[in-house]
Amino acid sequence: MSADLQELAKLLRDIDDQLVSCMKCGMCQAACPLFAETGREADVARGKIALLENLANEMIEDPKGVKDRLDKCLLCGSCAAACPSGVKVLDIFIKARAIITGYMGLSPAKKAIFRGMLQHPELFNNVVGVASKFQGLFTKPVNDMIGSSCARFMSPLIGDRHFQPLAKEPLHKKYGKVDTAAGKSGIKVALYPGCLVDKIFPRVGDAVMKILEHHGVGVYMPLKQACCGIPAISSGDKQTYDKLVKQNLEVFEKGDFDYLLTPCATCTSTIKKIWPLMAEDYEGALRNRVNLLSDKTMDVNAFLVDVLGVKGIAEPNATAKSITYHDPCHLKKSLGVAAQPRTLLHTNPGYELKEMSESDRCCGMGGSFNIQHYDLSEKIGGHKRDSILATKAQVLATGCPACMMQISDLLSHSDAQIAIKHPVEIYAETLP
Ligand code: SF4
Ligand code: SF4
């Protein structure tokens, strides 16, 4: 057993108090994208809550069985958004994963990745930098419009995925440390691009920088930013997660800013929702520091529309491309941000928005769920792919780089000729 028994007992008591609010009504079944594929009660929130009600005993009898059932979930929050009793399903599942991982220990592979690499941002950056130089030996481009690649040879790691390659130059290398004064807006923000925008979609970061400069917003973007912690905490690795949070606090507390912006829905939702949740157990001063940064954190689409007052009033021109928008679970269901990205799409007369059916249906990514259950992830994503193709849109926009990755894979496998963009890119195209 790798975690302190007292800490595990405390987490067990925390979730016990939350479990009682589940009325077993089953309303979560209709919302769960996983249940829609498997039809298994064990996969939906109510089934997992029933398991957790007897967690201590189940853990002793069959810890691996408990872990497998808990891991089979996208942490998309669709069940929580649909629950009439307001059960804090994600809070419960995240703490439960920390308990079971604390009890069983972390797998050697995850230990190597999380503790050997993720905990050391400079090493992580160097490893990714080397990988980006040699990726062409092992991968080849497969769809120019989407910009996706696939493996050249059979690879257990990549499998049949069509993925976005690592950027030649990550955002942090291109800009270095940024610390500019607030201009005409009188506002200064900190920018937290997140791993995927930094290393795979730096063009999204370029768009954010261009927009902030246009509006006279000062930017603080420190070096040595660490991962937001979601891969570690969703695998139950609280030790790595705690270190990543502290590392980010240290680098951002050196700046003076009004908001911390991120163009990644997953990072925003982690910093705003999961950081304060997991900080409940921190000592007072550390808890306050977490809450202070979390309170300042905002999705970039919401900042542009709600704070800077960007308006989407452009009428599509005669040659406008059709564009459709996917609502990331972490943006709409977790943070309630859905109108603002669409407003940004309406700023550009070169695009005409065509809504897809079920635009907020989960794309099936789910972080490590995609790695552990790729077949199910693809099945869930199949509905998203069909909704996108049915619109005949030329461009797909979404506010989460993880969804951009998943949808690239889905569309590239269908040979679709659809460009994939972040709403900030669409708005940035309108600026000089
Ligand atoms: S989690 Fe919510 S929706 Fe699901 S059974 Fe419990 S009370 Fe009902
Ligand atoms: S978080 Fe998503 S996948 Fe997990 S139980 Fe809830 S609805 Fe199902």
Side-chain angles (χ1 to χ4, degrees), residues 21-28 45-46 49 83-85 87 89:
S21 47
C22 174
M23 308 308 287
K24 306 286 187 292
C25 66
M27 297 284 278
C28 43
R46 182 173 65 177
I49 287 173
C83 174
S85 308
V87 178
V89 188

PDB file of all heavy atoms in Angstrom, residues 21-28 45-46 49 83-85 87 89, ligand 1:
ATOM      1  N   SER A  21     -26.430  11.545  -1.173  1.00  0.00           N
ATOM      2  CA  SER A  21     -27.382  12.386  -1.908  1.00  0.00           C
ATOM      3  C   SER A  21     -27.914  11.715  -3.177  1.00  0.00           C
ATOM      4  O   SER A  21     -28.839  12.221  -3.806  1.00  0.00           O
ATOM      5  CB  SER A  21     -26.773  13.760  -2.219  1.00  0.00           C
ATOM      6  OG  SER A  21     -25.485  13.611  -2.729  1.00  0.00           O
ATOM      7  N   CYS A  22     -27.347  10.570  -3.579  1.00  0.00           N
ATOM      8  CA  CYS A  22     -27.868   9.869  -4.771  1.00  0.00           C
ATOM      9  C   CYS A  22     -29.185   9.176  -4.419  1.00  0.00           C
ATOM     10  O   CYS A  22     -29.249   8.353  -3.512  1.00  0.00           O
ATOM     11  CB  CYS A  22     -26.850   8.847  -5.269  1.00  0.00           C
ATOM     12  SG  CYS A  22     -27.496   7.826  -6.609  1.00  0.00           S
ATOM     13  N   MET A  23     -30.259   9.536  -5.161  1.00  0.00           N
ATOM     14  CA  MET A  23     -31.595   8.970  -4.900  1.00  0.00           C
ATOM     15  C   MET A  23     -31.847   7.700  -5.705  1.00  0.00           C
ATOM     16  O   MET A  23     -32.930   7.150  -5.699  1.00  0.00           O
ATOM     17  CB  MET A  23     -32.684  10.007  -5.246  1.00  0.00           C
ATOM     18  CG  MET A  23     -32.512  11.366  -4.603  1.00  0.00           C
ATOM     19  SD  MET A  23     -32.271  11.271  -2.831  1.00  0.00           S
ATOM     20  CE  MET A  23     -33.925  10.844  -2.324  1.00  0.00           C
ATOM     21  N   LYS A  24     -30.850   7.280  -6.486  1.00  0.00           N
ATOM     22  CA  LYS A  24     -30.950   6.064  -7.326  1.00  0.00           C
ATOM     23  C   LYS A  24     -32.061   6.182  -8.373  1.00  0.00           C
ATOM     24  O   LYS A  24     -32.694   5.207  -8.746  1.00  0.00           O
ATOM     25  CB  LYS A  24     -31.188   4.814  -6.452  1.00  0.00           C
ATOM     26  CG  LYS A  24     -30.181   4.610  -5.335  1.00  0.00           C
ATOM     27  CD  LYS A  24     -28.855   4.127  -5.891  1.00  0.00           C
ATOM     28  CE  LYS A  24     -27.860   3.749  -4.827  1.00  0.00           C
ATOM     29  NZ  LYS A  24     -27.347   4.814  -4.016  1.00  0.00           N
ATOM     30  N   CYS A  25     -32.320   7.401  -8.821  1.00  0.00           N
ATOM     31  CA  CYS A  25     -33.409   7.626  -9.775  1.00  0.00           C
ATOM     32  C   CYS A  25     -33.080   7.127 -11.182  1.00  0.00           C
ATOM     33  O   CYS A  25     -33.963   6.864 -11.991  1.00  0.00           O
ATOM     34  CB  CYS A  25     -33.762   9.109  -9.827  1.00  0.00           C
ATOM     35  SG  CYS A  25     -32.414  10.119 -10.513  1.00  0.00           S
ATOM     36  N   GLY A  26     -31.787   7.037 -11.509  1.00  0.00           N
ATOM     37  CA  GLY A  26     -31.388   6.528 -12.828  1.00  0.00           C
ATOM     38  C   GLY A  26     -31.429   7.558 -13.947  1.00  0.00           C
ATOM     39  O   GLY A  26     -31.250   7.202 -15.116  1.00  0.00           O
ATOM     40  N   MET A  27     -31.673   8.828 -13.613  1.00  0.00           N
ATOM     41  CA  MET A  27     -31.717   9.857 -14.667  1.00  0.00           C
ATOM     42  C   MET A  27     -30.356   9.971 -15.382  1.00  0.00           C
ATOM     43  O   MET A  27     -30.280  10.425 -16.510  1.00  0.00           O
ATOM     44  CB  MET A  27     -32.074  11.226 -14.075  1.00  0.00           C
ATOM     45  CG  MET A  27     -33.436  11.292 -13.453  1.00  0.00           C
ATOM     46  SD  MET A  27     -34.742  11.382 -14.660  1.00  0.00           S
ATOM     47  CE  MET A  27     -34.705  13.137 -15.018  1.00  0.00           C
ATOM     48  N   CYS A  28     -29.285   9.594 -14.699  1.00  0.00           N
ATOM     49  CA  CYS A  28     -27.954   9.705 -15.309  1.00  0.00           C
ATOM     50  C   CYS A  28     -27.772   8.739 -16.478  1.00  0.00           C
ATOM     51  O   CYS A  28     -26.920   8.955 -17.339  1.00  0.00           O
ATOM     52  CB  CYS A  28     -26.857   9.472 -14.256  1.00  0.00           C
ATOM     53  SG  CYS A  28     -27.162   8.103 -13.142  1.00  0.00           S
ATOM     54  N   ALA A  45     -23.182   6.352 -13.650  1.00  0.00           N
ATOM     55  CA  ALA A  45     -22.922   6.930 -12.323  1.00  0.00           C
ATOM     56  C   ALA A  45     -23.619   6.152 -11.203  1.00  0.00           C
ATOM     57  O   ALA A  45     -22.992   5.828 -10.185  1.00  0.00           O
ATOM     58  CB  ALA A  45     -23.358   8.396 -12.302  1.00  0.00           C
ATOM     59  N   ARG A  46     -24.920   5.818 -11.392  1.00  0.00           N
ATOM     60  CA  ARG A  46     -25.646   5.125 -10.313  1.00  0.00           C
ATOM     61  C   ARG A  46     -24.967   3.801  -9.949  1.00  0.00           C
ATOM     62  O   ARG A  46     -24.843   3.455  -8.770  1.00  0.00           O
ATOM     63  CB  ARG A  46     -27.102   4.878 -10.740  1.00  0.00           C
ATOM     64  CG  ARG A  46     -27.936   4.217  -9.665  1.00  0.00           C
ATOM     65  CD  ARG A  46     -29.389   4.126 -10.040  1.00  0.00           C
ATOM     66  NE  ARG A  46     -29.633   3.264 -11.203  1.00  0.00           N
ATOM     67  CZ  ARG A  46     -30.840   2.986 -11.667  1.00  0.00           C
ATOM     68  NH1 ARG A  46     -31.911   3.494 -11.099  1.00  0.00           N
ATOM     69  NH2 ARG A  46     -30.986   2.199 -12.712  1.00  0.00           N
ATOM     70  N   ILE A  49     -21.771   4.495  -8.047  1.00  0.00           N
ATOM     71  CA  ILE A  49     -22.068   4.977  -6.691  1.00  0.00           C
ATOM     72  C   ILE A  49     -22.446   3.790  -5.794  1.00  0.00           C
ATOM     73  O   ILE A  49     -22.008   3.694  -4.643  1.00  0.00           O
ATOM     74  CB  ILE A  49     -23.164   6.063  -6.729  1.00  0.00           C
ATOM     75  CG1 ILE A  49     -22.551   7.355  -7.297  1.00  0.00           C
ATOM     76  CG2 ILE A  49     -23.773   6.308  -5.344  1.00  0.00           C
ATOM     77  CD1 ILE A  49     -23.536   8.472  -7.562  1.00  0.00           C
ATOM     78  N   CYS A  83     -28.130  15.312 -13.335  1.00  0.00           N
ATOM     79  CA  CYS A  83     -28.618  14.732 -12.065  1.00  0.00           C
ATOM     80  C   CYS A  83     -29.547  15.693 -11.328  1.00  0.00           C
ATOM     81  O   CYS A  83     -29.142  16.798 -10.966  1.00  0.00           O
ATOM     82  CB  CYS A  83     -27.413  14.391 -11.183  1.00  0.00           C
ATOM     83  SG  CYS A  83     -27.891  13.846  -9.539  1.00  0.00           S
ATOM     84  N   PRO A  84     -30.822  15.281 -11.088  1.00  0.00           N
ATOM     85  CA  PRO A  84     -31.753  16.189 -10.405  1.00  0.00           C
ATOM     86  C   PRO A  84     -31.406  16.403  -8.931  1.00  0.00           C
ATOM     87  O   PRO A  84     -31.863  17.370  -8.322  1.00  0.00           O
ATOM     88  CB  PRO A  84     -33.110  15.470 -10.544  1.00  0.00           C
ATOM     89  CG  PRO A  84     -32.780  14.041 -10.782  1.00  0.00           C
ATOM     90  CD  PRO A  84     -31.441  13.998 -11.438  1.00  0.00           C
ATOM     91  N   SER A  85     -30.603  15.521  -8.351  1.00  0.00           N
ATOM     92  CA  SER A  85     -30.261  15.665  -6.932  1.00  0.00           C
ATOM     93  C   SER A  85     -28.950  16.404  -6.719  1.00  0.00           C
ATOM     94  O   SER A  85     -28.501  16.537  -5.577  1.00  0.00           O
ATOM     95  CB  SER A  85     -30.152  14.288  -6.272  1.00  0.00           C
ATOM     96  OG  SER A  85     -31.301  13.543  -6.526  1.00  0.00           O
ATOM     97  N   VAL A  87     -25.925  15.468  -7.332  1.00  0.00           N
ATOM     98  CA  VAL A  87     -24.832  14.641  -6.794  1.00  0.00           C
ATOM     99  C   VAL A  87     -23.521  15.086  -7.443  1.00  0.00           C
ATOM    100  O   VAL A  87     -23.449  15.260  -8.657  1.00  0.00           O
ATOM    101  CB  VAL A  87     -25.077  13.137  -7.082  1.00  0.00           C
ATOM    102  CG1 VAL A  87     -23.915  12.290  -6.555  1.00  0.00           C
ATOM    103  CG2 VAL A  87     -26.392  12.682  -6.463  1.00  0.00           C
ATOM    104  N   VAL A  89     -20.885  14.040  -8.793  1.00  0.00           N
ATOM    105  CA  VAL A  89     -20.359  12.770  -9.279  1.00  0.00           C
ATOM    106  C   VAL A  89     -18.849  12.838  -9.548  1.00  0.00           C
ATOM    107  O   VAL A  89     -18.108  11.933  -9.160  1.00  0.00           O
ATOM    108  CB  VAL A  89     -21.112  12.334 -10.560  1.00  0.00           C
ATOM    109  CG1 VAL A  89     -20.697  10.938 -10.952  1.00  0.00           C
ATOM    110  CG2 VAL A  89     -22.616  12.398 -10.341  1.00  0.00           C
TER     111      VAL A  89
HETATM  112  S1  SF4 B   1     -26.346  10.109  -9.695  1.00  0.00           S
HETATM  113 FE1  SF4 B   1     -28.072  11.567  -9.787  1.00  0.00          FE
HETATM  114  S2  SF4 B   1     -29.156  10.985 -11.666  1.00  0.00           S
HETATM  115 FE2  SF4 B   1     -27.820   9.241 -11.160  1.00  0.00          FE
HETATM  116  S3  SF4 B   1     -29.118   7.887  -9.930  1.00  0.00           S
HETATM  117 FE3  SF4 B   1     -28.032   9.212  -8.474  1.00  0.00          FE
HETATM  118  S4  SF4 B   1     -29.462  10.920  -8.111  1.00  0.00           S
HETATM  119 FE4  SF4 B   1     -30.164   9.893  -9.975  1.00  0.00          FE
END
